[in-house]
Every structure is written in C-alpha cells, then in structure tokens.
Amino acid sequence: MQFATAGDTVWIDAGVYTETVVIGVDNLALIGKDSNATVIDPPGSNATAGIWGIYADTQTGLLIKTLGVTGAYNGIRLDNVDLSTVSNDSVSTCGNFAVYLLGGSDSNTLSGNQVVSNSNYGIELNGSSGNTLNNNISNSNSSSGFHLGSSSGNTISNNTSNSNTNFGIDLAASSPGNTVSGNTTNSN
C-alpha cells in the first residue's frame, strides 16, 4: 500500500495475507476477490490493542470491498474517515470491534457486510454522524451487534442482528436523531 496514490484501485487476489493494511491516501479502492477467499489476518494476538486488519485515518473517498478480516483487535478501523464505503466484507474473531468508525467518521456507507463472533461490538460508531448502515449481518458477537455512542443522524436499516450477548442494536448515551427501520433482531 505504500506505493498507492489517490485514485488508484488495488485488486487483491485470493489468499491469506499476514499483515495490517494501512491506507494513507484519499480516493483509494481496495477490492478483494471474495471476502471468504481474500483474507487479512494480521500478525499478533487479537487481544493486543493496535492490531488492525485494515486501518485508515483522515482519508476521504475510500472503497473497501469484498475482503475478509480475521484475528485482529479491530478488524476495519476508520478514524475520522469521510465519504467512504465498506461493502460486502466479512470480519470475524476480532478481539474488540469488527468494524469501528470513530473520531468524526461521517457520511460513510456500510453495506452488505457480515461480522460474526467478535469479542465486543460487531459494528461500532463512536462520535460519527450521517452514516448509512444497511443490509449488514452482525451475529454472535460478545456484546451488541450494532452500537452507537455519541453518534447522531445515522440511518440503520434492513440489517440482521442475532445471538449477540447484549443487544441487537444499541443506541447509547448522546446518540439522538438516528433513524432505525426494517431491521431484524433475535435472541440478543
């Protein structure tokens, strides 16, 4: 990724990649062959903070698509990333969050992702607004399937959240003005 420039599309072939993918430019498309066949499995324990599968901060216009992430602390971590799309990815067995948007990550779309068997929240928004979360599956996570903290004006629709330890969808303190519709939650 160190040679990628703004506007590039990086195609990643099938395989297991033992590394952390750090995105350092705007308007980059990172596309795997298939989320079950193209897997990022970073080195180290998934209990170690700072072990990320895919990481970006302060970028705009990213596309992260059809990739798998397993064994990270946070699977996909977007810190102050705007106007980006995370779609058709699968994230499992992370030590903390599967997909984590924080620090003013606004106006992003998370769609068609599967996050399963992570040690905390499946999808976490913290201090992030105006995002659209639709058609995601968040099952069997050790806390809630979807969790919003200090995040407002988000749309959460047509998602499935089953068999999570706490809540299917959790709108925590200071998360007003979110639209939640058409979701299915069971056995949380």
Side-chain angles (χ1 to χ4, degrees):
M1 296 302 301
Q2 71 188 41
F3 299 110
T5 60
D8 282 354
T9 297
V10 178
W11 298 92
I12 303 174
D13 203 0
V16 176
Y17 298 88
T18 307
E19 60 186 279
T20 293
V21 175
V22 178
I23 300 171
V25 298
D26 294 338
N27 302 310
L28 181 77
L30 186 62
I31 303 173
K33 182 174 178 99
D34 176 278
S35 67
N36 294 313
T38 307
V39 178
I40 309 299
D41 185 0
S45 168
N46 73 350
T48 303
I51 302 288
W52 303 307
I54 300 171
Y55 174 78
D57 68 349
T58 69
Q59 280 70 45
T60 60
L62 303 178
L63 172 62
I64 301 169
K65 182 177 178 181
T66 55
L67 292 166
V69 178
T70 189
Y73 183 71
N74 291 323
I76 300 172
R77 180 182 167 126
L78 304 181
D79 191 346
N80 194 23
V81 170
D82 300 326
L83 302 168
S84 296
T85 300
V86 177
S87 68
N88 299 309
D89 299 302
S90 61
V91 184
S92 63
T93 64
C94 292
N96 196 30
F97 308 133
V99 179
Y100 188 22
L101 276 62
L102 72 153
S105 288
D106 302 328
S107 303
N108 298 292
T109 299
L110 277 62
S111 179
N113 300 293
Q114 292 189 22
V115 297
V116 179
S117 300
N118 298 285
S119 294
N120 203 333
Y121 303 122
I123 296 176
E124 160 76 359
L125 274 60
N126 190 314
S128 298
S129 300
N131 297 290
T132 299
L133 285 66
N134 66 332
N135 298 309
N136 298 289
I137 297 171
S138 185
N139 293 339
S140 303
N141 298 291
S142 294
S143 190
S144 298
F146 298 84
H147 181 267
L148 279 66
S150 301
S151 297
S152 60
N154 298 288
T155 300
I156 305 165
S157 63
N158 302 314
N159 298 287
T160 301
S161 185
N162 296 323
S163 303
N164 298 288
T165 302
N166 291 331
F167 305 106
I169 300 172
D170 183 12
L171 303 179
S174 301
S175 290
N178 292 292
T179 301
V180 180
S181 66
N183 299 287
T184 303
T185 63
N186 291 303
S187 302
N188 297 290

